[in-house]
Amino acid sequence: MNNRFIIGFLTAAGAVASAASYDVSLLQNATIGGKPLKPGAYRVQIKENMAILRGENNKATEVPVHKETAPAKLKATTVRLAQDGSVQEIGIGGTTTILRFDAGGSSPLGAQ
């Protein structure tokens, strides 16, 4: 019986560990995957190739994401926007994680 409990616990722990989440703040209106986002705090959860953003209202916005690794740890969390206000990438401070979002493939990366 103890073996079943341990296996069940390890399976549940592995599922939780595989879903990374990060806190991000937007300072202005933006869009991600064509969906509007208002300024505020968001929790970004990564599940496989999807990012799920939850704002202060707990409404979920789910969009495709590409997770990449920076060559060194990032000093601060940054959100890079295109000129049209679409989120292009989020760099997670204190980690080497960069989340890249597809904006239709034609928008170059812009300044914040």
Side-chain angles (χ1 to χ4, degrees):
M1 181 162 175
N2 284 343
N3 288 342
R4 285 188 207 166
F5 174 74
I6 292 171
I7 291 170
F9 178 77
L10 292 175
T11 302
V16 170
S18 68
S21 63
Y22 310 100
D23 293 320
V24 176
S25 293
L26 291 178
L27 302 178
Q28 65 186 55
N29 287 323
T31 60
I32 191 163
K35 301 171 185 178
L37 297 174
K38 294 182 179 184
Y42 289 85
R43 165 83 30 137
V44 181
Q45 185 176 16
I46 307 301
K47 289 188 178 179
E48 297 179 14
N49 63 343
M50 297 300 287
I52 303 159
L53 289 86
R54 290 190 187 277
E56 294 166 355
N57 63 1
N58 210 27
K59 181 180 175 186
T61 301
E62 191 169 332
V63 294
V65 67
H66 302 282
K67 189 173 176 183
E68 298 180 7
T69 303
K73 280 190 178 182
L74 304 170
K75 293 181 181 181
T77 297
T78 58
V79 179
R80 186 172 288 188
L81 303 176
Q83 289 180 347
D84 66 358
S86 62
V87 176
Q88 298 297 299
E89 82 176 29
I90 299 173
I92 307 299
T95 73
T96 57
T97 301
I98 299 173
L99 307 174
R100 295 197 193 270
F101 301 92
D102 185 16
S106 61
S107 298
L109 296 180
Q112 285 185 345

